[in-house]
Amino acid sequence: MIVEARRDVITLRGSLTANEWATVQAAAKVLLAEHPKGIIIDCSGLTEVAEAGAKTFLDAVSYIQKHDARIIVAGLPESALKVIRSVRSVMSQLPIAPSVEDARASLGLEELGAPPSS
């Protein structure tokens, strides 16, 4: 799995077949320092999510809540959403948005989505 952090978004690409929270947490810590209101995890690049991988999101929600911030997962492919729905403890706590733009609007971070003026 590839993890990228940019602005207010952590982007995940590839297969999430194990709990990768330790990897994602490093990026979350950096982004929360710059965006204490909350961050977004863009999952549109995930090709596979296993039940063990879905538990990454449970750890993410727990960590973010301890920092009095919010997290929204965006762009989950339908196949990933099916797996997440099967893990009750994850689905019941995970805020999901259809896109990064929708997640920004929910967090009140719309201004970060606008391209810089030239």
Side-chain angles (χ1 to χ4, degrees):
M1 184 185 69
I2 298 170
V3 178
E4 296 175 16
R6 186 170 177 204
R7 296 182 356 192
D8 59 340
V9 179
I10 296 171
T11 302
L12 306 181
R13 289 182 174 59
S15 296
L16 182 58
T17 56
N19 188 334
E20 297 287 349
W21 175 240
T23 304
V24 177
Q25 182 181 12
K29 186 175 182 179
V30 170
L31 292 186
L32 280 174
E34 296 177 26
H35 304 283
K37 197 174 197 175
I39 59 174
I40 300 161
I41 298 180
D42 179 5
C43 297
S44 60
L46 288 177
T47 56
E48 175 186 10
V49 176
E51 186 174 325
K55 293 183 179 174
T56 300
F57 301 115
L58 186 60
D59 290 343
V61 168
S62 175
Y63 177 84
I64 298 297
Q65 287 175 343
K66 287 178 185 172
H67 287 83
D68 294 322
R70 292 180 58 208
I71 187 171
I72 298 181
V73 174
L76 279 166
E78 187 59 37
S79 59
L81 199 49
K82 284 181 183 179
V83 173
I84 287 171
R85 284 183 184 136
S86 73
V87 183
R88 290 183 196 262
S89 60
V90 176
M91 189 59 192
S92 65
Q93 296 185 49
L94 190 64
I96 298 174
S99 69
V100 169
E101 293 76 21
D102 291 323
R104 273 200 186 103
S106 180
L107 288 173
L109 302 174
E110 299 93 340
E111 67 278 3
L112 293 177
S117 313
S118 14

